[in-house]
Amino acid sequence: MMRKTLFLLTLLLTLLTGTIHAAEKFTYVIVHGATAGGWEWKKAAKFLESDGHEVHRATLTGLGERMHLATKEVDLETHINDVVNTILFEDLHDVVLTGHSYGGMVITGVMDRVPDRIRHVVFLDAAVPENGNSMYDLVGGPPKNSKVVDGLVQFSWYDANAPFPHGVPQPEKTFSQPVSYKNPAALVLPVTYVAFLPAGQPAESRAASDKGWQRAVKRGWSIRTFAGTHVAHQEDPRGLATLLEEAVGDKNKAVEQKPAE
């Protein structure tokens, strides 16, 4: 009886300690895309938090619940500062920095500023700029059917009467200001590029046309794909959260890094 009790206690202790140490816990800082806000990542963040991770959903100045701060003077550097200051004032280290869409511009600048605070970076269907590029450089200028009112870009889908939460106009300088990406420590950070693939789009055709994907390959970044449209994080938040957990283990391939001009 005593042996059986000891065996069961040992087994229970093994299971408990194994559960505690089975999966490493990470600190995520998630940066949303254009016109959106941290609200877009609420569901995915809940799954990450339920898995024991710490999650910070940064909302950029003038967007989301901070839409009242939108002015024509808000630029890309403002948004980079939003995220850098979140990391510094929350005293975050070993951060898994994640950016979606336009958020790729922001996290590129964050990488350049505080590479020592970053463990891994994930570009989710995101802009991948070269040093000195602006978002407009990557997409060929303002989107069709958009208009600029008082320095704020109103995209074709903007609807001021839509129920909250919804997309809002975004300061144009966030799209026209170039980003800095030349810090040697930033250039060697481990990075994963994730392409969201809608149904029927082969990875091969996307790779052949996606300049961001091609830059990622040249930099030796890991490449992943995820099924869904450009807002796949809202369509399958559990799956996206799992991908973010798995991507932390990705390693860059060895490539020759050319100094940025």
Side-chain angles (χ1 to χ4, degrees):
M1 185 68 178
M2 180 65 71
R3 287 183 178 180
K4 184 176 181 181
T5 302
L6 287 173
F7 173 77
L8 291 174
L9 286 173
T10 302
L11 179 60
L12 179 59
L13 181 61
T14 300
L15 290 173
L16 286 174
T17 55
T19 300
I20 292 171
H21 299 290
E24 188 175 356
K25 306 310 178 187
F26 306 120
T27 299
Y28 291 88
V29 173
I30 301 177
V31 182
H32 59 82
T35 81
W39 58 268
E40 265 201 344
W41 287 89
K42 186 174 182 179
K43 291 181 179 179
K46 282 187 175 180
F47 284 114
L48 288 170
E49 289 167 343
S50 69
D51 291 342
H53 306 294
E54 179 179 349
V55 182
H56 296 262
R57 294 179 287 123
T59 291
L60 305 172
T61 298
L63 304 178
E65 71 274 16
R66 305 178 70 199
M67 61 182 289
H68 58 288
L69 300 176
T71 71
K72 64 180 181 180
E73 299 306 320
V74 172
D75 56 18
L76 176 59
E77 191 66 20
T78 307
H79 286 173
I80 293 169
N81 286 335
D82 287 333
V83 182
V84 168
N85 287 338
T86 295
I87 293 172
L88 296 180
F89 280 83
E90 293 289 341
D91 196 23
L92 306 179
H93 298 266
D94 292 326
V95 168
V96 181
L97 180 64
T98 302
H100 171 243
S101 194
Y102 160 77
M105 296 296 300
V106 179
I107 65 173
T108 296
V110 176
M111 292 165 68
D112 204 63
R113 290 269 299 279
V114 289
D116 58 305
R117 297 293 187 107
I118 299 171
R119 175 185 183 133
H120 198 92
V121 187
V122 185
F123 283 69
L124 292 171
D125 225 39
V128 181
E130 299 285 5
N131 178 59
N133 281 164
S134 69
M135 188 70 187
Y136 275 173
D137 289 331
L138 301 186
V139 299
K144 293 180 180 180
N145 302 319
S146 66
K147 60 182 179 179
V148 180
V149 179
D150 295 328
L152 307 181
V153 179
Q154 294 183 1
F155 288 83
S156 58
W157 60 81
Y158 172 61
D159 180 3
N161 297 315
F164 289 107
H166 62 69
V168 299
Q170 181 160 329
E172 186 175 32
K173 285 186 178 180
T174 64
F175 300 126
S176 62
Q177 185 179 38
V179 70
S180 175
Y181 180 60
K182 56 187 179 182
N183 185 335
L187 301 179
V188 297
L189 285 171
V191 184
T192 301
Y193 177 82
V194 183
F196 292 170
L197 297 181
Q201 182 181 38
E204 294 78 9
S205 64
R206 172 67 180 271
S209 61
D210 184 343
K211 300 298 183 183
W213 185 321
Q214 294 163 16
R215 291 189 189 98
V217 170
K218 289 181 180 179
R219 295 174 185 177
W221 294 357
S222 298
I223 305 295
R224 289 176 177 260
T225 60
F226 188 79
T229 70
H230 190 55
V231 291
H233 53 291
Q234 296 183 67
E235 298 162 351
D236 182 11
R238 171 65 270 182
L240 203 284
T242 299
L243 180 146
L244 289 176
E245 292 169 338
E246 295 173 347
V248 181
D250 292 345
K251 306 295 183 183
N252 291 358
K253 293 181 179 179
V255 296
E256 182 181 357
Q257 291 287 352
K258 295 182 179 180
E261 298 179 355

